Amino acid sequence: MPQNSLTFEVCIDAPSGLEACEGLVDRIELCSALGLGGLTPDPGLIALAKEHGIPCHAMIRPRAGDFHYNTADQHAMLASVAAVKKAGLAGIVVGASIGNVLDTELLRALKSAAGNMEVTLHRVIDLVDAPLVAMEQVIALGFDRILTSGGAPKAVDGLTTLAALHSAATGRIEIMAGSGISVSNLAKIANETRITSFHASCSTEVPVADHLHRFGFAKTQKVTDRATVATFRDVLNSLV
């Protein structure tokens, strides 16, 4: 990869993730409930993230499920953006759709509410019919980057679309590859798409006690693994 640097973002949903990423990542996507694809983080995690030196971007997603938001959802999202902005985080991560196209009206409102914070479009773009058209829409809205797997469940299976998005962006917006990216496929994705920005969870599954999941709690919990984060960083550095 003929690049001077490659950008590394890790998504976390617990305080321990901040420590696991310290000194190794360029940016954190701050969430709750990564097992549901990531929801808006709670105020405590937001406050703790602000104390760390890593730029943190908060997911703005009020519920699990689809990305077609009703009026109540939208009010909650705008309130969350205001709270994140007041807390002083570096950015937000948003997405909204109506059917198989982006909800540009809501995205415009969220971008406006963000003010000077950076704004990332999340993987809602992987669910639309025309990702290149969607990319042009979010460029026009002034977004900073797009997180995408190239329209496939895993980025390694969406290389053609990832490469097309990166090529068509021509530096106007950052295309960040994410979903299923690991130390074993990172080089392949980087070399075949020419993308220079990558998103991963770098987590391991830890089982919980039997009596917890008998009462309806999760059978496992995902924990950000610092050793995996460090190895991912090493592989990125080797590609420069």
Side-chain angles (χ1 to χ4, degrees):
M1 294 286 293
Q3 303 292 334
N4 294 325
S5 64
L6 302 178
T7 301
F8 180 23
E9 175 181 289
V10 171
C11 54
I12 69 167
D13 64 357
S16 61
L18 294 166
E19 301 296 335
C21 292
E22 194 71 42
L24 295 172
V25 310
D26 301 291
R27 183 172 55 243
I28 283 174
E29 181 188 85
L30 199 68
C31 305
S32 66
L34 280 175
L36 300 175
L39 303 179
T40 305
D42 68 77
L45 185 57
I46 290 172
L48 190 62
K50 176 57 181 171
E51 298 175 5
H52 283 254
I54 307 170
C56 290
H57 292 199
M59 173 67 72
I60 305 297
R61 187 179 175 212
R63 55 165 176 75
D66 65 20
F67 302 102
H68 186 186
Y69 297 114
N70 63 26
T71 300
D73 293 330
Q74 293 180 31
H75 287 164
M77 295 171 80
L78 289 167
S80 293
V81 173
V84 170
K85 185 178 180 181
K86 183 177 181 180
L89 294 193
I92 57 171
V93 182
V94 300
S97 61
I98 300 174
N100 295 321
V101 298
L102 294 182
D103 183 348
T104 55
E105 182 177 350
L106 175 54
L107 293 176
R108 181 178 293 107
L110 293 167
K111 175 66 173 68
S112 177
N116 293 328
M117 288 191 295
E118 293 188 10
V119 183
T120 300
L121 182 78
H122 63 49
R123 290 185 57 221
V124 69
I125 195 171
D126 294 320
L127 304 175
V128 303
D129 287 337
L132 289 169
V133 172
M135 182 189 73
E136 295 297 337
Q137 291 174 324
V138 296
I139 288 173
L141 290 172
F143 278 47
D144 296 280
R145 70 187 53 80
I146 296 171
L147 171 62
T148 174
S149 60
K154 303 296 182 185
V156 73
D157 298 315
L159 298 180
T160 299
T161 300
L162 284 170
L165 286 165
H166 178 66
S167 177
T170 59
R172 295 173 297 156
I173 194 167
E174 178 184 339
I175 302 299
M176 179 168 56
S179 186
I181 297 183
S182 66
V183 294
S184 63
N185 61 28
L186 176 56
K188 175 182 176 67
I189 294 168
N191 288 325
E192 294 192 20
T193 67
R194 314 305 290 175
I195 283 174
T196 61
S197 184
F198 302 91
H199 170 102
S201 67
C202 296
S203 62
T204 57
E205 285 197 352
V206 178
V208 300
D210 287 346
H211 73 278
L212 289 173
H213 55 80
R214 287 206 309 272
F215 279 84
F217 297 103
K219 294 183 179 181
T220 61
Q221 62 187 50
K222 286 190 173 183
V223 178
T224 310
D225 181 62
R226 184 168 176 83
T228 303
V229 175
T231 302
F232 201 106
R233 178 87 265 177
D234 287 342
V235 173
L236 276 181
N237 291 344
S238 74
L239 294 174
V240 175

